[in-house]
Amino acid sequence: MIFEAVATGGCRSYLIGCEETCAAALIDPELSQIDRYIALAARDGLRIRYLIDTHTHADHFSATQQLARQLHVPVVMHSASPAPFIDLRLRGGELLVVGRLRLQALHTPGHTRDSMCLCIEDRVFTGDTLLIGATGRTDLPSGDAAALYESLFEGVLKLDPALKVFPAHEYKGRSHSTIGQELTENPRLQKRDRDTFIEMMQSLNLTMPTHVTEALRTNMSGGKTVAQMLSEAAAIVPFMSLGELKMCLESGKDDLAVLDVRERDAFEEGHIPGARLLPRGQLELRVNQELTDPTRRILAYCEFGRVSTLATATLRQMGFQGAVALDGGMKAWREAGYAVKAGKEP
Ligand SMILES: [Fe+2]
């Protein structure tokens, strides 16, 4: 078996491949690491056949849907998953065939209703059901401490004690443990009475993970993250540096239309001299009156350079092929000490 682990902060993804057939499965991929997974598979001579999420993640952005589009392979989750874009829904006990390898799903609700663990040869991918020295939390949507108790003590922990445990999270840099080790050393598993375990899980008082609402929204619906919207816009937009814009304005040669896409009060407080105000929220509706020449060179800027990237992508989609975005924003322009004009539009 070919095996790769990828750490993204505290999140872990795993690539497992069959040496004989080159077929592979990718478990719990994260959106920011898409190029890395594809590169690792290529380096190892593997072709990814399945994209698997062990559960609906609340703390990272799953890459399964985007990779499925790129690789034309199915997204796999447990049948209880709410996401509408899943191609293959597994039930407990079912197998995925990955070349000569067999990946067996074990339904382990508790951390979420759709949690599953995946067993293959000498190891088990435990998702957020069982972590090294901890368990998944049960206070997020569809979490259930009683269900986690059953999944652990009647399920995962009854597996072969020699099985290696590879969790979806690890914050201390350990690569794995074993079922036997967790049984003896995991502090959360030492109180084996059902009610005591449930009470302990319910009184953990953990802080909410960052981006929890955005992660749940996008992972459950297949919708896009803010970072994805921005990177998709940036990919179809050329940028102009602050220095280039300054030179352009000073030379007075280039017939450049400079658009400030912030709100009126920000514009009046201080804008790039010569800029005109066209707030992002009114862009599509006012653009025909404001920009009559679709071939004209247009530069859009905002405060930080993000909204202007979206605005420029919109302008390009509308046919303004000369639209560029400022690399940076009004904040960077001010900090560079370049000229700022206050007051209303002329
Ligand atoms: Fe999780």
Side-chain angles (χ1 to χ4, degrees), residues 54-60 111-112 115 127-129 136-137 140 168-169:
T54 53
H55 63 286
T56 301
H57 298 283
D59 51 7
H60 79 237
H111 171 61
T112 60
S115 285
D128 284 358
T129 300
R137 60 199 290 171
L140 295 175
H169 285 291

Side-chain angles (χ1 to χ4, degrees), residues 76-221:
V76 183
M77 284 188 83
H78 186 264
S79 61
S81 168
F85 53 82
I86 297 159
D87 304 295
L88 188 52
R89 292 175 178 274
L90 292 181
R91 288 174 189 269
E94 292 176 352
L95 297 172
L96 281 182
V97 174
V98 184
R100 304 258 179 271
L101 304 172
R102 298 289 183 273
L103 195 61
Q104 185 174 34
L106 194 64
H107 186 208
T108 52
H111 171 61
T112 60
R113 196 181 302 126
D114 63 355
S115 285
M116 59 179 181
C117 295
L118 299 157
C119 300
I120 185 165
E121 296 189 345
D122 63 344
R123 59 199 65 196
V124 53
F125 299 97
T126 51
D128 284 358
T129 300
L130 177 62
L131 308 177
I132 302 175
T135 65
R137 60 199 290 171
T138 53
D139 58 337
L140 295 175
S142 90
D144 180 339
L148 183 65
Y149 179 86
E150 301 293 328
S151 294
L152 286 169
F153 291 100
E154 298 302 322
V156 189
L157 297 170
K158 286 195 166 170
L159 296 170
D160 179 355
L163 271 187
K164 293 176 184 158
V165 170
F166 288 90
H169 285 291
E170 166 54 27
Y171 302 95
K172 294 183 180 166
R174 296 163 292 193
S175 76
H176 65 279
S177 69
T178 63
I179 294 286
Q181 238 173 299
E182 292 311 313
L183 273 169
T184 53
E185 294 169 21
N186 189 325
R188 286 203 198 154
L189 305 179
Q190 301 315 308
K191 291 190 180 124
R192 301 204 178 160
D193 171 66
R194 189 175 183 275
D195 293 338
T196 320
F197 178 84
I198 294 170
E199 203 189 299
M200 181 260 306
M201 286 309 297
Q202 286 170 345
S203 58
L204 286 176
N205 253 331
L206 302 165
T207 50
M208 275 289 139
T210 39
H211 313 301
V212 63
T213 50
E214 189 182 18
L216 285 172
R217 168 173 60 74
T218 56
N219 292 339
M220 286 166 77
S221 68

Side-chain angles (χ1 to χ4, degrees), residues 17-24 49-50 96-102:
C18 168
E19 264 163 301
E20 273 178 71
T21 65
C22 300
R49 291 285 185 179
Y50 294 108
L96 281 182
V97 174
V98 184
R100 304 258 179 271
L101 304 172
R102 298 289 183 273

